[in-house]
Amino acid sequence: MDNKLSYAKKHPIKSIILIEISFLLVVFIAGAIATIKQLSYNAPILISFIPTALVLIIYFTWKRKWTYFGFKRVVIRKSWYSYFPLFLILIVLCFQGFSFQPIETIIFFVGFAILVGFVEESIYRGIMIKILLPLGMLPAILTSSILFSVTHMLNLLSGQSLGQTGLQLIYSLLIGIVLAQLFVKTENIYPLILFHGLHNLLQFLGNGESSVILDTTVIGILVIAITVLAFSLRKNNTVKNAFIHERI
């Protein structure tokens, strides 16, 4: 595994392409299985994300890389303000309204949201940014965010319309950039997983009645957050240097 890590360090672009293709292939195969078996719309995620999560847990544990990939103790007093935009987004999403769900459905969606948050944040923020950051902060943030956005095209396999998927690509790109910036700034992935899970949970439990005002508000928060975090990261290049000089 050390040789594999050294390969990722020597060939970051090839490593990222391999990770992305492998992940997309797993999800695509899961989607094909769900279609053939006529399973529920969330079956492709469960079929692909559960084994992926197990692989990540085994890898992080075996190589003792939990801390390296951002699973660190959160120091609230030093970083709470950095996550304020995420808190605002969750508040805005609460205004979309909720539909009644039985308790077993809510429990299922909670587990589902945590699963998706853990897998996607571990891959697109933890692993990818760690691999790409030696190439520069901007390439690491943009590349990981673009790939995170492109992955949501697979929602077409669940029957989502092309128009909705296009909007989701833009939305996920903006969120991906903010989360990537926060990961570089704070070096901590736990708050990102929490936000990701809560964000998905609110969408799962929502009644689907979004509005132009709510969508515009969220996009405005994301744009402002990206701008503020960009200036903050430019002023604090020591974060980048600390990441690069960490031992792989």
Side-chain angles (χ1 to χ4, degrees):
M1 295 298 294
D2 287 335
N3 290 333
K4 189 174 183 179
L5 281 176
S6 62
Y7 176 85
K9 188 174 181 180
K10 294 177 182 178
H11 307 282
I13 301 300
K14 292 181 180 179
S15 299
I16 291 300
I17 293 175
L18 180 61
I19 292 172
E20 178 69 3
I21 291 177
S22 299
F23 184 55
L24 292 179
L25 182 61
V26 170
V27 177
F28 180 80
I29 293 174
I33 293 174
T35 301
I36 294 173
K37 298 292 185 178
Q38 296 184 336
L39 302 177
S40 62
Y41 72 95
N42 50 32
I45 300 298
L46 292 174
I47 296 173
S48 57
F49 276 50
I50 290 177
T52 301
L54 291 175
V55 170
L56 289 169
I57 291 172
I58 292 172
Y59 172 68
F60 292 158
T61 302
W62 182 19
K63 297 302 297 179
R64 299 179 181 177
K65 292 293 181 181
W66 288 98
T67 301
Y68 177 76
F69 287 114
F71 293 87
K72 304 176 181 180
R73 184 172 63 90
V74 181
V75 182
I76 301 297
R77 65 179 181 277
K78 291 184 178 181
S79 58
W80 67 269
Y81 59 89
S82 299
Y83 302 110
F84 187 67
L86 304 185
F87 180 69
L88 286 179
I89 291 173
L90 293 178
I91 291 178
V92 173
L93 291 178
C94 289
F95 285 96
Q96 67 181 341
F98 299 97
S99 58
F100 174 79
Q101 301 288 350
I103 186 63
E104 58 270 18
T105 300
I106 295 176
I107 293 175
F108 169 79
F109 279 140
V110 169
F112 190 84
I114 293 173
L115 172 66
V116 173
F118 170 74
V119 170
E120 293 190 343
E121 292 308 312
S122 294
I123 293 176
Y124 291 101
R125 253 61 71 180
I127 295 176
M128 286 194 176
I129 288 182
K130 277 291 191 176
I131 292 175
L132 291 170
L133 201 53
L135 300 180
M137 191 183 302
L138 184 60
I141 290 173
L142 290 182
T143 301
S144 63
S145 302
I146 291 172
L147 292 178
F148 173 68
S149 175
V150 169
T151 302
H152 287 79
M153 290 184 65
L154 294 177
N155 287 331
L156 291 170
L157 298 176
S158 300
Q160 183 171 275
S161 69
L162 187 61
Q164 287 179 316
T165 302
L167 293 175
Q168 191 175 33
L169 291 179
I170 298 174
Y171 182 65
S172 57
L173 174 63
L174 294 176
I175 284 186
I177 292 175
V178 171
L179 295 180
Q181 288 174 315
L182 286 171
F183 183 70
V184 173
K185 180 180 177 63
T186 66
E187 305 180 43
N188 200 305
I189 203 170
Y190 279 125
L192 309 186
I193 294 176
L194 177 61
F195 166 78
H196 200 141
L198 290 174
H199 179 279
N200 288 351
L201 181 62
L202 289 174
Q203 291 189 320
F204 293 149
L205 299 179
N207 56 22
E209 296 182 3
S210 183
S211 67
V212 175
I213 295 177
L214 293 181
D215 293 341
T216 303
T217 301
V218 172
I219 291 176
I221 293 172
L222 290 171
V223 171
I224 293 173
I226 290 172
T227 304
V228 173
L229 287 169
F231 280 108
S232 176
L233 288 172
R234 286 185 62 183
K235 292 172 60 177
N236 188 15
N237 290 325
T238 56
V239 174
K240 171 186 170 183
N241 294 331
F243 262 55
I244 293 176
H245 289 97
E246 277 191 69
R247 183 178 178 182
I248 294 182

